[in-house]
Amino acid sequence: MKILVSGGRILAEGNPELLDGGDLLIDGPSIETLAPPGEIAVAHVDKTLDATGCLVVPGMINTHQHDWYLLGKGLGDGMVLEDWVQDCLFPLESELNNGDLRVASRLACLDMIRTGTTTSVNHLVSETDDEADDAILEPVLETGMRQYFAKAVRPNDVASEYERVRAAYERWNGRGNGLVRVGFVLEATSHWIAAGTSTEKMIQGGHALAREFDTFVSSHIAGGTLSRERGYLRWVLQMGRTDLEFLQGLGVLDHRWILAHTIHPQGKDLDLIAESGSTVSHTPSSEASRGGGIAPIKRMVDNGVKVALGTDGPMVDLTNDMLEQVKLTRLLQNQVHGDPSALTPEQVVHMGTAAGATALGSGDQLGCIAEGARADIAVFDISGVHTAINHRPLSTFVHAARGTDAKHVLVDGEILLEDGEFTRFSADDVRELIAEAGSRGRSLAQRAGKLLASPR
C-alpha cells in the first residue's frame, strides 16, 4: 500500500529545508520518497493523509518503560524512591496475575500510540514464565506497536544455563514481522546486588548471552535519592565503587547497555559511559516525581555521552507521554544551568527519537525520516489554540504541543491512529478496555493492601 503524507512540515535530520513543508511517500513498511510539496505523483497513491498545519516527525522512542505500572497509577504519590520500592512496587508486583499483565500491556500500548510513541522498551522487574510473556506480548502485536521486550535475568538463571531467557528470545524475537525484539534486563545497581537479586556471574553470563544474540541490555543505574543513610550514596560508600565502575570492572560495559536514570554519576562515570558507547535513558518526570534529583544531562552531552529518553511508567510519574519528557529535559537543564539554551529543541527531540533508535541498534531504520527507513511516523497537529502562531515550529512542538496532539501515527507503514482515532480498535473497544483496566487496578491495589479509602 502506498500512502502519501502531504502538506506538513517534515523533521528530517540532514534535510532542514523540509521543515518549511514537504511530502512523504510510504511504500509498504518503508519510506520511499521525500520531496518538496507537489513533486510526488499521486496517480498511484492508495491513501493520502492530510498533514496541513502539522509537524511530521519520527515516532517517539521510549527507551525505559514498565507496562504494568499503569495499573498502579497514583498509588506512589509523595514517596521517595526507596519508600516507593518497598511500599508500592513490591506489594503490587507480588499480586500481579497474567490477566492484569494482558490488560495493562494493551492499554499501555494504546496510551503510547495515542501520544505519538511508536517504539518502547518494556523493562521487566520480575521473572516471567512463558504464559506471562504471552500475556504481555500478544497484546503488543494486537495493537501494532513496536516493542523491545527486556526479559529479566535472575541469579538462578546461571545454574540453568539461562534456559528460561534463551527460550523467551527464541520464541518471541522477530515476531510480528520484527515488531517484537527481545533483549535482557541485567540489574546492576548497588542495591540490587546488596539485595541478592543480582550477582557478578549473572551479569557476566547474561551479557555473554546478549553478545551471542546481538541484542540490547537494560539496567537501572545510579538512581534513587543520593541519601547517605538510605539512597545511592550509601551503597557507593559501602561497596567502594559506583555502578559504572562495577560494570567496567566486570568487563561488560559496552554499547549494548541502556542505563536507566543514571541520576547520580560520580567521579569518572561519565567518561566510562562515553568510552563504552552505552546510552543513558533519561526519565525526567520520574526523577522529579520521586524527588531523586536532576540528572546532569548537559554535562553528559558535553562529555560525549549518548542520551535517550523514557517515561518509566505511570505508577512512578503518572504518564507515558514522551513529549512531556522532551519538554522537561530542556526546561530542567536550562534551569539547572541558568541558561535558556543549555539544550536546544533539536537536541531534545533527537533524544526522544534518533538517540533511542541508536541505543537499540536500529539507528539506520528507526528514529529518523529518511528514504529507506522504516515508516514509523507521528504527525502532530500544531495548529490548535495552544500551539497557534508558529514562528519556530520545532520550539512550538517542544514547549507547547501535547502528546494528544498526535493526529496520525504509523508503524511499519500501517496507520494505527488516523485523525486522532485508533484504526484497530473502536471507541467502544477503548472504553471497555479502560473500564477493565480500572477494575483490575482497584482489585490489584486492594489485594496488595494499597487501595485508598476514597480517591483523592
Side-chain angles (χ1 to χ4, degrees):
M1 182 176 184
K2 289 202 172 188
I3 300 171
L4 179 66
V5 181
S6 180
R9 292 180 165 108
I10 300 175
L11 180 62
E13 290 191 64
N15 203 348
E17 65 271 15
L18 290 177
L19 257 180
D20 293 329
D23 289 346
L24 170 65
L25 182 64
I26 297 164
D27 186 5
S30 302
I31 297 170
E32 180 179 292
T33 306
L34 293 169
E39 289 195 6
I40 297 175
V42 298
H44 302 293
V45 169
D46 299 297
K47 187 176 184 66
T48 298
L49 293 177
D50 181 17
T52 304
C54 297
L55 189 62
V56 183
V57 302
M60 295 285 157
I61 297 178
N62 186 342
T63 55
H64 187 70
Q65 204 266 346
H66 306 279
D67 279 2
W68 74 263
Y69 282 13
L70 185 145
L71 297 177
K73 183 183 287 189
L75 292 178
D77 190 36
M79 297 181 185
V80 297
L81 183 73
E82 289 78 13
D83 289 336
W84 177 86
V85 168
Q86 294 298 324
D87 299 336
C88 191
L89 172 60
F90 288 164
L92 268 70
E93 178 192 19
S94 68
E95 296 294 335
L96 274 174
N97 59 48
N98 288 345
D100 297 332
L101 292 173
R102 186 175 295 276
V103 168
S105 176
R106 185 178 291 111
L107 186 55
C109 287
L110 292 186
D111 186 12
M112 287 186 277
I113 291 168
R114 184 63 190 86
T115 50
T117 293
T118 54
T119 298
S120 74
V121 175
N122 185 10
H123 177 120
L124 299 193
V125 293
S126 58
E127 292 181 79
T128 50
D129 57 18
D130 287 349
E131 289 74 21
D133 292 345
D134 291 351
I136 295 167
L137 289 170
E138 286 172 355
V140 174
L141 295 183
E142 292 168 9
T143 67
M145 191 174 173
R146 194 182 300 280
Q147 183 171 115
Y148 283 72
F149 180 69
K151 175 85 171 177
V153 181
R154 290 293 182 262
N156 58 290
D157 288 313
V158 177
S160 65
E161 296 185 345
Y162 302 92
E163 289 180 4
R164 181 180 61 89
V165 290
R166 278 182 176 277
Y169 182 93
E170 291 166 355
R171 187 160 180 255
W172 273 104
N173 190 64
R175 292 274 289 274
N177 293 320
L179 288 180
V180 173
R181 296 293 181 184
V182 178
F184 305 115
V185 171
L186 300 175
E187 297 293 10
T189 197
S190 306
H191 66 267
W192 285 82
I193 305 293
T197 50
S198 180
T199 65
E200 294 184 7
K201 285 186 177 181
M202 183 206 85
I203 293 169
Q204 289 173 317
H207 184 260
L209 196 62
R211 287 201 313 270
E212 177 185 338
F213 288 133
D214 192 21
T215 193
F216 69 99
V217 173
S218 183
S219 186
H220 293 105
I221 294 291
T225 67
L226 198 56
S227 164
R228 183 183 290 264
E229 289 74 30
R230 303 176 61 205
Y232 179 59
L233 186 56
R234 170 193 174 187
W235 302 112
V236 171
L237 294 172
Q238 180 175 314
M239 296 185 175
R241 46 79 175 163
T242 68
D243 289 351
L244 279 309
E245 289 169 339
F246 174 59
L247 291 176
Q248 176 70 9
L250 291 180
V252 298
L253 187 61
D254 63 12
H255 67 280
R256 301 181 188 283
W257 290 80
I258 299 175
L259 308 170
H261 308 307
T262 319
I263 312 170
H264 306 298
Q266 309 289 312
K268 296 183 178 180
D269 282 352
L270 296 189
D271 292 334
L272 295 178
I273 299 171
E275 291 165 7
S276 71
S278 55
T279 299
V280 168
S281 179
H282 178 44
T283 59
S285 65
S286 170
E287 273 89 80
S289 294
R290 299 295 124 226
I294 301 175
I297 300 304
K298 177 172 169 52
R299 270 206 303 129
M300 290 181 184
V301 172
D302 291 346
N303 209 71
V305 171
K306 292 184 287 188
V307 179
L309 301 180
T311 61
D312 208 8
M315 191 162 64
V316 184
D317 53 6
L318 286 84
T319 185
N320 278 323
D321 189 340
M322 280 289 289
L323 262 187
E324 291 185 16
Q325 312 310 314
V326 169
K327 179 177 180 178
L328 279 173
T329 297
R330 187 172 197 224
L331 291 182
L332 291 176
Q333 295 304 306
N334 288 353
Q335 181 77 348
V336 165
H337 293 276
D339 177 2
S341 60
L343 292 176
T344 67
E346 289 81 3
Q347 284 177 303
V348 292
V349 172
H350 178 91
M351 291 175 189
T353 55
T358 299
L360 294 166
S362 300
D364 60 336
Q365 289 292 299
L366 304 178
C368 60
I369 294 182
E371 293 176 1
R374 307 300 280 190
D376 286 19
I377 295 166
V379 179
F380 286 89
D381 187 346
I382 54 171
S383 66
V385 172
H386 59 291
T387 48
I389 316 304
N390 286 308
H391 296 301
R392 300 187 65 189
L394 200 58
S395 293
T396 297
F397 177 62
V398 169
H399 290 278
R402 303 161 186 163
T404 49
D405 290 327
K407 182 178 182 180
H408 311 303
V409 175
L410 300 89
V411 173
D412 249 9
E414 180 185 348
I415 303 167
L416 300 181
L417 189 78
E418 184 175 359
D419 292 320
E421 301 292 335
F422 295 108
T423 60
R424 291 191 176 195
F425 298 85
S426 70
D428 286 341
D429 292 336
V430 175
R431 280 192 289 269
E432 290 173 7
L433 176 60
I434 291 170
E436 183 178 1
S439 175
R440 284 188 173 275
R442 288 188 293 276
S443 177
L444 175 62
Q446 189 171 39
R447 296 196 302 273
K450 297 299 170 185
L451 185 65
L452 296 172
S454 60
R456 292 192 294 185

